[in-house]
Amino acid sequence: MNLKNITLLLVFISTVITNSNAKENQVSSPDQNIKVTISIGEEIAYSVDYKGQKLIAPSAISMDLGFGDVLGHRPELMGSKTTTVNEVLKPVVKEKRSEVKNHYNELILSFRGDYQLAFRVFDDGMAYRWISKRKGDITVYNEEANFTFATNQMVYFPETKGFITAFQHTYKYLPLDSISSNRMCITPALVDVEKGPKVAITEADLRDYPGMFLTGNSNNTLKGKYAPYILKGDRLVKKEDIKRADYLARTTGTRSFPWRVVTIVDNDGDLLNTEIVYRLGAPSKIKDPSWIKSGKIAWDWYNANNIYNVDFRAGLNYDTYKYYIDFAADNGIEYVVLDEGWSNTYDIWELNEDMRMDDLTAYALEKEVGLILWVEWSTFDADMEALTDKFVEWGVVGIKMDFMNRDDQYMVRLYERVAETCARKQLMVDFHGAFKPTGIRRTYPNIMTYEGVAGLENCKWADYSDPEYDVTFPFIRMLAGPADYTPGAMNTAQKKNFKPIFNRPMGLGTRAHQLAMYVVFESPLQMLADSPTAYMKETECLAFLSEVPVEWDETVVLDAEVGEYIVIARKHGNDWYLAAMTDWTKRDVTIDLSELSTGTFTLEEYADGVNADRNGNDYKKTIRTISSDETIEVKMAPGGGWAAILRGSEN
């Protein structure tokens, strides 16, 4: 036997001995359906069983602090502590419901070397995180996060070519074992377990640390991957000229690291209902959040200021935005965004004189319409304190920060600095060109919404933000938090009639599909993307859009299937708002009102017209009386939808 074979034999024997002597700790969900087992030997690995089914096989985890200091290698367990929490959270902004049940069992393992591992298990998933107790600063060179599935499964894989990205990828449906180490996706990603649950992988409480991508290794495993720290690079630097460090993060030695989250649910609709990422966020740092006000926004950029039947030249000027403000004030729309062009993109202090910002902001205050200003991140970052002071002087209510397109440590820090600075100045925040939410909106509830979704604006140049995508991303991307999709196209087309036109855009699918988005898609700052003139021409649709809320007391998913259709009901006050959306498949659904309430109600509904399969703009509004022992038969055209208000519910 040669030396190489002897070495391999010794490694094999060592592995067997290590595994046989491994110590196991377990923690389960409150309902006992999810069981997490942590094996401690030469390394630390966790596995997950769901209702007796092996879901995630032993998966190694560690954190490399450099120079041979690796948390999780040859660990020495010093102690463990298990606690149970059962509380009710009351969100400042009610994205799904007014009360969020936060019930979990938590196991904290303490190790020699001043570090811990926390495992938190809910009825709808589990999460783990590293906790460092080191003094001084530390450098993280790598983090090993494996999600090894017991068998090969299919994955909704939002593939990206690199770390610099707008986080707006559509989903490829791939076998796990086909995903090699040179393929990468943003998170969340969704694993479709055959004869088992849906499993979504993402992260929470991401602060002062790079975000997590996922890659594969052709062994039924998804692995965490992270952007190294950027030493040189901003929006104007070419990707090939960006210089990165050999580490992920330099940070304080006493801290908690992000939660690695595995959401586990039986039914597709439960993905629309879970608030696991929000629950894992840190508590609010804003003592008095009463100034934070959700609402709808009249927006200029999608419609390219296509205003008509007016006596002024539409464009980036005072008269145009006075028109937006008047439209908002007349129709109960709380806000207007001034997107790119109100100032010099790369010198915010250089104002567009045609906008007459002093006069415009004063007029908005007079009309009680809040203004939200678009800013490019690096320019805003360079003079954040002074700029926000100026915005407050003008009476502006928030910012829309754009083009970040990365989630390395610096950028993640920037999000929190922006949130903290704006909270001090009582300004709300909309992150565009942004990575997905990670629960920091619980910590800073003035963070109202995020992009990180292939929204309606993509229809200006492409056809992938279509009805199939519209009934896919809510189960995956929206699981992480609100999505600024910017719905509301008044000109819609079926697939065969669609054409991307940058300055005269149209939406894909039907008009009723667009209206349904306002109930299905969650965003506490919800855009009206089309031109005010177009809305004023469509008075019935405008009446619905003026009334539909952006916060909800209760959410009930009536029926749903990833990539196929969604049927949902949300309660606001005494009324229920209902919606259905389908992909490119013509579909009929039946809605049982007894699941929502009892009694007799007025039903106001907006349905696909009989010719909506030919002309996407065809819809029909009806108002009728209905009782809870009746059902509603909804017929949707290809790319269709349905939206309704059920008025008069008392319970």
Side-chain angles (χ1 to χ4, degrees):
M1 182 179 293
N2 62 35
L3 182 60
K4 180 179 179 181
N5 289 337
I6 292 173
T7 302
L8 290 173
L9 178 60
L10 289 173
V11 170
F12 172 76
I13 293 171
S14 173
T15 301
V16 172
I17 292 172
T18 298
N19 290 339
S20 65
N21 291 332
K23 299 176 183 178
E24 288 190 348
N25 290 263
Q26 290 185 343
V27 58
S28 297
S29 57
D31 65 6
Q32 299 298 305
N33 285 334
I34 301 173
K35 182 177 72 175
V36 180
T37 301
I38 303 96
S39 178
I40 304 170
E42 285 293 300
E43 61 183 11
I44 299 174
Y46 75 97
S47 59
V48 181
D49 292 78
Y50 181 66
K51 294 184 177 180
Q53 175 187 7
K54 179 62 69 178
L55 196 61
I56 296 180
S59 301
I61 55 177
S62 65
M63 180 172 284
D64 184 357
L65 304 185
F67 307 99
D69 186 5
V70 182
L71 309 186
H73 281 196
R74 297 182 178 86
E76 295 183 46
L77 182 65
M78 304 299 292
S80 64
K81 180 181 179 181
T82 303
T83 57
T84 297
V85 171
N86 190 359
E87 62 182 354
V88 173
L89 307 176
K90 295 190 176 181
V92 172
V93 180
K94 301 177 292 183
E95 293 161 15
K96 295 183 191 292
R97 52 186 55 86
S98 59
E99 295 186 343
V100 176
K101 184 178 180 182
N102 190 33
H103 190 193
Y104 61 84
N105 294 324
E106 183 173 66
L107 170 65
I108 297 180
L109 303 172
S110 298
F111 297 91
R112 185 181 301 278
D114 297 324
Y115 70 94
Q116 297 175 320
L117 261 178
F119 288 84
R120 191 173 289 185
V121 191
F122 305 84
D123 289 345
D124 58 352
M126 59 80 64
Y128 76 86
R129 77 188 316 175
W130 295 96
I131 302 171
S132 171
K133 302 289 187 179
R134 305 289 180 91
K135 295 180 180 179
D137 292 337
I138 58 176
T139 300
V140 180
Y141 287 87
N142 192 30
E143 180 187 344
E144 180 186 25
N146 288 301
F147 307 88
T148 301
F149 284 79
T151 55
N152 189 28
Q153 304 295 343
M154 299 298 292
V155 186
Y156 291 89
F157 194 76
E159 189 164 14
T160 180
K161 298 299 183 183
F163 293 122
I164 304 298
T165 173
F167 301 92
Q168 297 180 5
H169 305 282
T170 56
Y171 300 93
K172 297 179 180 178
Y173 194 58
L174 305 173
L176 256 177
D177 65 2
S178 73
I179 302 170
S180 62
S181 59
N182 61 1
R183 301 183 75 173
M184 183 171 72
C185 77
I186 61 173
T187 53
L190 181 65
V191 179
D192 188 2
V193 178
E194 185 179 7
K195 297 181 181 178
K198 290 288 197 302
V199 179
I201 299 171
T202 190
E203 60 188 329
D205 203 24
L206 174 64
R207 301 167 72 180
D208 193 26
Y209 194 79
M212 183 174 70
F213 294 76
L214 293 172
T215 186
N217 70 354
S218 303
N219 188 31
N220 301 336
T221 298
L222 293 171
K223 300 171 64 71
K225 191 171 183 178
Y226 319 89
Y229 191 87
I230 288 183
L231 298 171
K232 174 189 174 184
D234 58 28
R235 187 186 170 200
L236 298 181
V237 174
K238 295 180 180 178
K239 291 182 182 181
E240 58 268 24
D241 294 332
I242 290 175
K243 297 187 183 302
R244 295 186 182 271
D246 62 351
Y247 57 85
L248 302 181
R250 284 184 173 160
T251 185
T252 178
T254 302
R255 62 161 295 174
S256 298
F257 287 90
W259 290 104
R260 305 300 170 214
V261 184
V262 180
T263 305
I264 305 167
V265 296
D266 275 326
N267 302 309
D268 291 16
D270 293 334
L271 294 166
L272 301 171
N273 243 331
T274 182
E275 294 183 272
I276 191 170
V277 172
Y278 177 85
R279 285 179 253 138
L280 288 164
S284 176
K285 291 189 174 185
I286 300 177
K287 292 182 180 180
D288 178 12
S290 59
W291 55 272
I292 299 171
K293 304 292 185 183
S294 62
K296 293 184 289 290
I297 305 175
W299 184 42
D300 54 353
W301 196 83
Y302 167 82
N303 65 75
N305 284 326
N306 279 316
I307 294 168
Y308 50 95
N309 293 335
V310 295
D311 57 4
F312 59 85
R313 180 69 175 174
L316 292 167
N317 57 53
Y318 174 84
D319 287 332
T320 297
Y321 287 89
K322 180 178 179 292
Y323 181 89
Y324 277 93
I325 292 168
D326 288 339
F327 164 74
D330 292 343
N331 293 283
I333 308 303
E334 292 85 352
Y335 304 113
V336 170
V337 162
L338 275 59
D339 216 291
E340 186 172 19
W342 68 271
S343 69
N344 185 324
T345 297
Y346 298 106
D347 181 1
I348 299 174
W349 293 107
E350 184 183 319
L351 304 180
N352 177 348
E353 293 182 357
D354 292 337
M355 295 290 288
R356 294 166 47 192
M357 286 298 294
D358 288 339
D359 293 339
L360 189 67
T361 53
Y363 186 73
L365 288 171
E366 177 188 332
K367 301 293 285 189
E368 298 184 344
V369 172
L371 294 185
I372 296 172
L373 301 184
W374 181 95
V375 294
E376 189 273 337
W377 76 267
S378 61
T379 315
F380 181 67
D381 186 19
D383 204 6
M384 193 184 305
E385 287 288 343
L387 285 166
T388 49
D389 284 343
K390 183 61 178 179
F391 297 167
V392 170
E393 178 187 325
W394 274 337
V396 166
V397 301
I399 66 162
K400 175 182 175 180
M401 190 172 79
D402 204 351
F403 289 127
M404 293 79 78
N405 294 352
R406 38 183 266 225
D407 67 352
D408 52 90
Q409 184 191 21
Y410 183 92
M411 190 56 70
V412 173
R413 279 178 180 164
L414 175 62
Y415 278 48
E416 188 160 5
R417 285 195 292 109
V418 168
E420 187 277 329
T421 301
C422 288
R424 280 192 283 110
K425 312 291 179 72
Q426 296 193 358
L427 295 169
M428 296 181 292
V429 179
D430 173 0
F431 286 128
H432 253 239
F435 60 83
K436 81 280 178 186
T438 62
I440 193 176
R441 68 193 189 284
R442 180 182 170 195
T443 315
Y444 291 99
N446 60 317
I447 300 176
M448 304 299 284
T449 193
Y450 291 68
E451 194 179 24
V453 64
L456 184 69
E457 67 181 10
N458 289 275
C459 290
K460 290 164 72 80
W461 54 79
D463 64 357
Y464 52 77
S465 296
D466 69 350
E468 182 177 348
Y469 179 74
D470 297 341
V471 293
T472 303
F473 85 80
F475 298 90
I476 307 172
R477 158 61 183 84
M478 208 168 73
L479 172 147
D484 194 10
Y485 182 95
T486 67
M490 290 294 99
N491 182 22
T492 57
Q494 288 290 342
K495 185 187 298 188
K496 62 185 177 182
N497 299 321
F498 175 80
K499 182 179 181 181
I501 305 173
F502 190 85
N503 287 321
R504 296 294 298 274
M506 64 186 76
L508 279 152
T510 71
R511 173 76 61 79
H513 186 89
Q514 290 286 322
L515 296 181
M517 292 176 179
Y518 287 85
V519 181
V520 175
F521 298 168
E522 296 164 5
S523 182
L525 289 181
Q526 187 65 279
M527 303 280 182
L528 274 67
D530 219 324
S531 162
T533 312
Y535 289 123
M536 288 188 284
K537 184 178 179 181
E538 300 287 348
T539 56
E540 288 182 339
C541 294
L542 178 57
F544 175 81
L545 295 177
S546 295
E547 184 173 354
V548 64
V550 297
E551 292 191 53
W552 309 101
D553 297 316
E554 188 177 347
T555 291
V556 178
V557 181
L558 299 170
D559 197 7
E561 186 175 340
V562 177
E564 302 287 336
Y565 63 93
I566 295 170
V567 186
I568 199 167
R570 300 190 193 266
K571 193 175 186 182
H572 182 86
N574 290 326
D575 298 331
W576 284 94
Y577 289 75
L578 296 84
M581 296 170 66
T582 185
D583 60 357
W584 286 119
T585 302
K586 178 181 178 182
R587 198 179 305 272
D588 298 346
V589 297
T590 300
I591 297 176
D592 183 354
L593 293 179
S594 66
E595 294 187 44
L596 304 178
S597 193
T598 58
T600 301
F601 313 95
T602 299
L603 180 71
E604 177 183 313
E605 58 184 333
Y606 300 77
D608 288 329
V610 67
N611 294 304
D613 61 331
R614 300 170 63 184
N615 184 336
N617 292 321
D618 186 30
Y619 78 96
K620 183 178 182 181
K621 176 185 176 181
T622 58
I623 299 176
R624 58 192 170 104
T625 301
I626 192 168
S627 66
S628 57
D629 58 4
E630 297 180 65
T631 58
I632 303 173
E633 303 298 325
V634 176
K635 296 182 180 297
M636 291 183 282
W642 174 84
I645 308 173
L646 191 67
R647 303 183 191 277
S649 169
E650 297 180 356
N651 53 357

